């Protein structure tokens, strides 16, 4: 049977990126997705905004919802301080398998813990099963209609603390209207929009950064 797009992306990474070199994995994926096959990675333009926010927050504990092929896991993990860790959640087994290999190829397996399962099931387990007290940084990039319910779940599980930063991809395209309305109108968040473009295209998209005020 024909290979899948993520499988072809992983093959390309193994053929073209230097093992242990996270930047070469990032560049290889971006070049492939721009030139050969589009894929829903956060990409280079929005990725550099993600980089800026991660550097600014310098999280000890980061959570990513929606690993897909691991592109943003690599972007985030390469910037983490020693001893810090990224937990990334993915419920599609085939994507999780590809992502583990991409993360390993980038040499970041010691900083990234890929949790295979649904965010709605895993978020309530973070404290007692994964020893998480509170989260410093969350990157939302999974199904767009799940950003709001999962944010509410993170609140209800007391996983947010004053200053926790949530960064949401695709708030314009495909769009996350209910989430945007919530974080922009709630007194418990201070939100800021970063205008950019949909990965590898000229279409408008952007990231919403929301700081939990406690
Ligand atoms: C619901 N709970 C989940 N738990 C664990 N893993 C999950 C969960 N939900 C999804 N996943 C996992 O997270 C990923 C889902 C990513 C979804 N992303 C997008 O749809 C998305 C779409 C576009 C896009 C824009 C324009 C256009 F013309 C076509 C596409 C651009 C983007 O940057 C995106 O991120 C993965 F696939 C799924 O298994
Ligand atoms: Mg996205």
């Amino acid at each position: 049977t024909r290979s899948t797009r993520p499988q072809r992306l992983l093959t390309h990474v193994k053929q073209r990126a230097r093992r242990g070199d996270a930047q070469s994995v990032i560049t290889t994926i971006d070049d492939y997705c721009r030139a050969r096959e589009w894929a829903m990675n956060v990409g280079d333009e929005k990725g550099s905004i993600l980089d800026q926010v991660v550097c600014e927050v310098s999280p000890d504990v980061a959570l990513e919802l929606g690993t897909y092929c691991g592109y943003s896991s690599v972007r985030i993990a390469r910037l983490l301080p020693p001893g810090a860790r990224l937990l990334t959640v993915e419920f599609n087994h085939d994507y999780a398998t590809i992502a583990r290999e991409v993360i390993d190829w980038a040499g970041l397996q010691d900083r990234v813990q890929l949790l295979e399962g649904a965010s709605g099931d895993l978020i309530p387990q973070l404290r007692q099963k994964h020893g998480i007290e509170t989260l410093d940084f969350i990157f939302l990039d999974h199904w767009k209609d799940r950003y709001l319910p999962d944010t509410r779940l993170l609140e209800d599980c007391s996983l947010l603390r004053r200053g926790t930063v949530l960064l949401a991809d695709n708030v314009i395209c495909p769009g996350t209207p209910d989430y945007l309305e919530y974080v922009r109108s709630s007194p418990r968040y201070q939100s800021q929009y970063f205008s950019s473009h949909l990965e590898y295209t000229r279409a408008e998209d952007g990231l919403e950064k929301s700081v939990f005020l406690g």
Side-chain angles (χ1 to χ4, degrees), residues 38 40-42 46 65-68 89-92 95 117-120 141-144 146 150 169-170 173-174 198-199 205:
W38 187 91
M40 59 184 177
N41 316 121
V42 71
K46 288 185 291 177
L65 302 178
T67 316
Y68 188 45
V89 171
E90 175 56 61
F91 64 9
N92 178 302
Y95 294 159
S119 53
D141 195 21
H142 57 333
W143 293 157
K144 307 314 163 192
R146 304 297 304 167
D150 282 347
D169 190 25
N170 311 116
C173 177
L198 177 67
E199 49 267 30
D205 190 19

Side-chain angles (χ1 to χ4, degrees), residues 72-178:
S72 44
S73 306
V74 169
R75 283 205 86 107
I76 294 165
R78 87 192 199 285
L79 299 174
L80 293 181
R85 60 180 169 146
L86 169 67
L87 296 162
T88 183
V89 171
E90 175 56 61
F91 64 9
N92 178 302
H93 177 67
D94 298 329
Y95 294 159
T97 305
I98 300 279
R100 281 192 216 285
E101 294 206 49
V102 168
I103 291 159
D104 286 357
W105 196 266
L108 294 168
Q109 63 287 341
D110 296 344
R111 306 186 202 178
V112 181
Q113 196 172 350
L114 196 156
L115 305 179
E116 202 168 324
S119 53
D121 300 331
L122 293 174
I123 286 169
Q125 295 180 344
L126 289 179
R127 179 165 286 107
Q128 97 272 4
K129 201 167 169 205
H130 300 281
I132 304 286
E133 189 46 42
T134 54
L135 296 161
D136 304 312
F137 177 79
I138 298 130
F139 183 55
L140 298 96
D141 195 21
H142 57 333
W143 293 157
K144 307 314 163 192
D145 63 355
R146 304 297 304 167
Y147 284 22
L148 180 53
D150 282 347
T151 298
R152 303 303 304 259
L153 184 57
L154 287 162
E155 291 171 2
D156 296 347
C157 294
S158 309
L159 286 162
L160 307 182
R161 48 103 177 145
R162 187 175 319 109
T164 296
V165 171
L166 289 78
L167 189 65
D169 190 25
N170 311 116
V171 297
I172 304 298
C173 177
T176 64
D178 59 343

Side-chain angles (χ1 to χ4, degrees), residues 14-32:
K14 290 184 164 179
Q15 286 167 348
R16 308 289 290 272
R18 235 157 57 87
R19 199 179 177 94
D21 180 342
Q23 189 53 56
S24 82
V25 168
I26 292 164
T27 304
T28 298
I29 292 174
D30 284 330
D31 291 351
Y32 180 78

